[in-house]
Amino acid sequence: MAKFSTDRVNVCYLQELKKQKQKITALTAYDYPTARLLDEAGVDIILVGDSLGMVVLGYETTLPVTMDEMIHHTRAVTRARKRAMVIGDMPYLSFHLSKENSIANAARFIKEGGADGVKLEGATPARLELVKALVEAEIPVMGHVGLTPQSVHKIGGFKVQGKEEEQAEAIFRGALDLEKAGAFAVVLESVPAELAAEITSALKIPTIGIGAGPHCDGQILVVNDMLGLTSDYLPRFVKKYAELSEIISGAVKNYIAEVREGRYPEDQHCYHMKEDRLAALRKIRRKLLPERKAEKKK
Ligand code: KIV
């Protein structure tokens, strides 16, 4: 009956990885070819992050990203994946209005996007209530505390969070509350490694770190950053595993030069007509351009 695959990464599998002390791997993706490569390489979670706005759509922050944009890209990603769990990131203002509106938006990721769950930023009392309601509506929720980019104006920039006692306590409490509310995992972004280690050992659910040190249960990076496709400043936690910008730019410059100099295409890139069709081709030419023939005769 169902096409639902038990080979796909799910909440229980992630929980088991935490239990077995095996690291969870996660990356963002926003399109079909990238998602296919990540899935085939064996990444456990693909997050269709609202970082889409900054790394793909050219916005300065994640704030302008719309639900329709997120669904469009989530659909491309879920078309490609076979094994990875796909999580849709709820964009700014998609979970800030009424509870009904927020549940309807989260459900769009599942029903229209084909995602397996959603992520939302923050752990305020209203967010915790929403997490409970989403779980009640059978939607798996990944929490996100520490640096929450949708609060960029409130926190005054993309800064490390939780270095001081008060903030560290708020982040720790937020993670515990998210677990209590039913979240299946929590992203810890840009927090000191020591704080992330404490939270990870206190929680039963997995922590997924980004700029949160090595002790989290898993790691996530923005795929464009780790592949060297982002031209802007990168935070220190990003490790570039490739320099695709250089490779792409070199390839395009080569192409431009070869086309301009007539070195591309070569014979191996061409289709040819058989000898016996060349007479027909000349006939076609005379038919289509009779005036040229007359001109030549003059
Ligand atoms: O939007 C995003 O890509 C994220 C990750 C950085 C966790 O939220």
Side-chain angles (χ1 to χ4, degrees):
M1 157 208 150
K3 269 165 75 188
F4 186 80
S5 165
T6 49
D7 296 335
R8 190 174 292 167
V9 174
N10 56 33
V11 170
C12 304
Y13 179 76
L14 297 176
Q15 194 61 54
E16 196 52 33
L17 288 181
K18 169 152 182 146
K19 244 180 140 182
Q20 308 279 340
K21 296 195 182 324
Q22 286 185 45
K23 295 288 186 185
I24 296 165
T25 57
L27 284 169
T28 66
Y30 318 95
D31 59 55
Y32 180 91
T34 310
R36 198 182 61 185
L37 288 169
L38 303 192
D39 191 74
E40 285 172 1
V43 76
D44 298 312
I45 299 173
I46 299 177
L47 172 71
V48 188
D50 66 347
S51 47
L52 163 81
M54 296 172 77
V55 300
V56 173
L57 302 180
Y59 299 136
E60 262 183 33
T61 68
T62 58
L63 302 180
V65 176
T66 65
M67 268 305 297
D68 286 346
E69 285 167 340
M70 289 304 301
I71 296 299
H72 177 76
H73 287 270
T74 304
R75 283 164 65 89
V77 167
T78 55
R79 270 181 225 125
R81 72 78 190 266
K82 289 193 169 73
R83 175 186 172 272
M85 183 177 195
V86 175
I87 301 298
D89 202 5
M90 296 197 68
Y92 175 62
L93 228 53
S94 70
F95 56 101
H96 304 66
L97 307 177
S98 69
K99 196 187 271 185
E100 289 70 24
N101 176 260
S102 306
I103 296 172
N105 282 330
R108 283 190 68 192
F109 278 103
I110 312 296
K111 288 174 80 84
E112 294 174 43
D116 306 307
V118 299
K119 176 172 85 59
L120 55 87
E121 294 184 9
T124 59
R127 303 280 156 83
L128 296 169
E129 278 309 306
L130 178 59
V131 172
K132 281 186 206 160
L134 292 174
V135 174
E136 187 62 30
E138 323 298 352
I139 300 175
V141 182
M142 179 183 262
H144 183 160
V145 292
L147 172 60
T148 48
Q150 291 174 15
S151 322
V152 60
H153 295 313
K154 194 164 88 185
I155 60 185
F158 298 101
K159 296 190 278 202
V160 180
Q161 301 292 302
K163 280 186 164 176
E164 303 305 329
E165 191 178 332
E166 196 181 329
Q167 238 182 27
E169 183 178 335
I171 293 166
F172 205 149
R173 190 188 301 279
L176 289 169
D177 289 346
L178 282 163
E179 174 174 278
K180 231 183 276 166
F184 73 87
V186 184
V187 169
L188 304 176
E189 178 165 354
S190 294
V191 299
E194 298 79 6
L195 173 60
E198 288 295 342
I199 295 174
T200 300
S201 77
L203 292 189
K204 291 188 196 73
I205 58 172
T207 58
I208 311 292
I210 172 162
H215 305 297
C216 297
D217 297 303
Q219 297 291 328
I220 185 162
L221 282 174
V222 169
V223 74
N224 295 51
D225 292 348
M226 61 87 76
L227 291 179
L229 276 168
T230 315
S231 53
D232 303 334
Y233 150 85
L234 287 178
R236 64 180 279 173
F237 63 77
V238 175
K239 178 173 175 181
K240 282 197 200 176
Y241 286 82
E243 287 286 0
L244 292 195
S245 288
E246 282 175 18
I247 292 173
I248 292 171
S249 160
V252 173
K253 282 179 186 157
N254 234 338
Y255 167 76
I256 291 170
E258 289 198 1
V259 169
R260 285 186 179 152
E261 292 159 18
R263 288 190 286 126
Y264 174 82
E266 296 168 66
D267 194 54
Q268 58 177 313
H269 307 119
C270 296
Y271 304 105
H272 290 291
M273 282 173 124
K274 289 202 175 111
E275 266 306 307
D276 61 350
R277 302 289 147 80
L278 292 181
L281 177 61
R282 283 190 285 273
K283 204 170 118 196
I284 292 168
R285 186 193 151 90
R286 281 196 298 274
K287 188 167 130 194
L288 296 179
L289 302 168
E291 68 285 357
R292 299 259 176 102
K293 201 176 145 202
E295 270 169 31
K296 246 186 171 179
K297 274 188 183 161
K298 274 193 244 162

